[in-house]
């Protein structure tokens, strides 16, 4: 799956889970867990008991115990079952306690006989946007995307890649007017983004 171009007003979020035989497998059985893995092409499972990976995306409407009730962007509904093997990303690796009603998600895993998805990995509020840098401040970037103005807040994990180079915490080479691809986590409370990575000159 190639990165999708989305806007804060209409996001797509992908969710997944995995079940192998009678045991829930860890996320490594279906691929990596980092932020890039949410947008990567599905890879064959490392667990022979997992014959097909399932995906879901949408906004969380309710959290009932360990089950997330999700409204998909095309009108469909999903039930995402979290387990003690589910890996969760929300700006950084975290726990189920960080998931809130109103969050969006991507998830990866295996569909159960009852139609739910047993979650192997869940990415909460992850966004991958193509933008233009409109302003630079000490703790944030002002961006333009699809006619919308966005604020991307820097966090301790924020890194930049220049012209395909290695990631660095040095943001001093960013310039107003540069096209930039940003990877981060949407903040529903104020519609800003926690900035994980900004890539320019690629």
């Amino acid at each position: 799956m190639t990165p999708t171009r989305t806007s804060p007003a209409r996001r797509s979020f992908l969710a997944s889970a995995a079940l192998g035989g009678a045991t829930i497998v860890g996320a490594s059985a279906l691929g990596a867990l980092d932020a890039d893995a949410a947008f990567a092409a599905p890879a064959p499972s490392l667990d022979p008991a997992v014959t097909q990976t399932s995906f879901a995306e949408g906004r969380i409407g309710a959290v009932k115990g360990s089950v997330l009730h999700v409204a998909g962007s095309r009108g469909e509904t999903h039930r995402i079952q979290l387990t003690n093997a589910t890996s969760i990303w929300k700006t950084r690796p975290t726990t189920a306690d960080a998931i809130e009603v109103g969050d969006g998600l991507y998830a990866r895993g295996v569909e159960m006989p009852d139609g739910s998805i047993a979650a192997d990995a869940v990415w909460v509020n992850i966004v991958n946007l193509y933008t233009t840098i409109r302003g630079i401040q000490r703790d944030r970037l002002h961006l333009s995307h699809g006619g919308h103005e966005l604020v991307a807040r820097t966090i301790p994990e924020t890194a930049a890649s220049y012209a395909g180079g290695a990631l660095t915490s040095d943001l001093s080479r960013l310039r107003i007017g540069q096209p930039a691809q940003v990877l981060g986590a949407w903040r529903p409370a104020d519609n800003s983004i926690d900035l994980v990575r900004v890539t320019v000159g690629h």
Side-chain angles (χ1 to χ4, degrees):
M1 179 184 302
T2 57
T4 56
R5 296 170 186 262
T6 74
S7 72
R10 182 174 177 78
R11 291 176 176 80
S12 291
F13 296 97
L14 168 71
S16 75
L19 186 80
T23 60
I24 301 293
V25 300
S28 61
L30 292 182
L33 323 172
D34 61 16
D36 290 309
F39 302 102
S45 172
L46 300 179
D47 187 333
V50 178
T51 58
Q52 183 175 352
T53 303
S54 296
F55 299 89
E57 57 80 22
R59 293 285 294 275
I60 300 170
V63 180
K64 297 181 179 180
S66 60
V67 178
L68 309 179
H69 293 259
V70 177
S73 61
R74 296 178 178 85
E76 74 279 23
T77 59
H78 307 284
R79 285 177 295 119
I80 308 299
Q81 174 70 56
L82 304 179
T83 77
N84 59 8
T86 303
S87 296
I88 299 169
W89 182 99
K90 190 176 184 180
T91 306
R92 58 188 64 86
T94 187
T95 67
D97 293 337
I99 298 175
E100 300 175 296
V101 171
D103 283 341
L105 60 77
Y106 281 16
R108 179 189 64 204
V110 170
E111 187 172 345
M112 299 290 93
D114 65 358
S116 66
I117 294 178
D120 169 72
V122 171
W123 294 267
V124 182
N125 291 337
I126 190 169
V127 292
N128 188 20
L129 302 172
Y130 293 87
T131 70
T132 301
I133 298 174
R134 296 301 187 197
I136 301 172
Q137 292 181 280
R138 181 181 58 82
D139 61 350
R140 68 193 64 191
L141 300 179
H142 294 269
L143 307 169
S144 175
H145 169 75
H148 298 278
E149 297 300 315
L150 303 172
V151 173
R153 303 173 186 273
T154 58
I155 58 176
E157 293 85 355
T158 299
S161 174
Y162 301 97
L167 291 174
T168 173
S169 61
D170 178 13
L171 306 183
S172 66
R173 293 162 58 190
L174 298 177
R175 298 290 181 263
I176 292 174
Q178 281 181 313
Q181 181 181 0
V182 298
L183 180 65
W186 170 55
R187 296 168 52 138
D190 61 9
N191 213 30
S192 66
I193 296 169
D194 284 334
L195 183 61
V196 174
R197 187 171 72 233
V198 55
T199 303
V200 297
H202 56 94

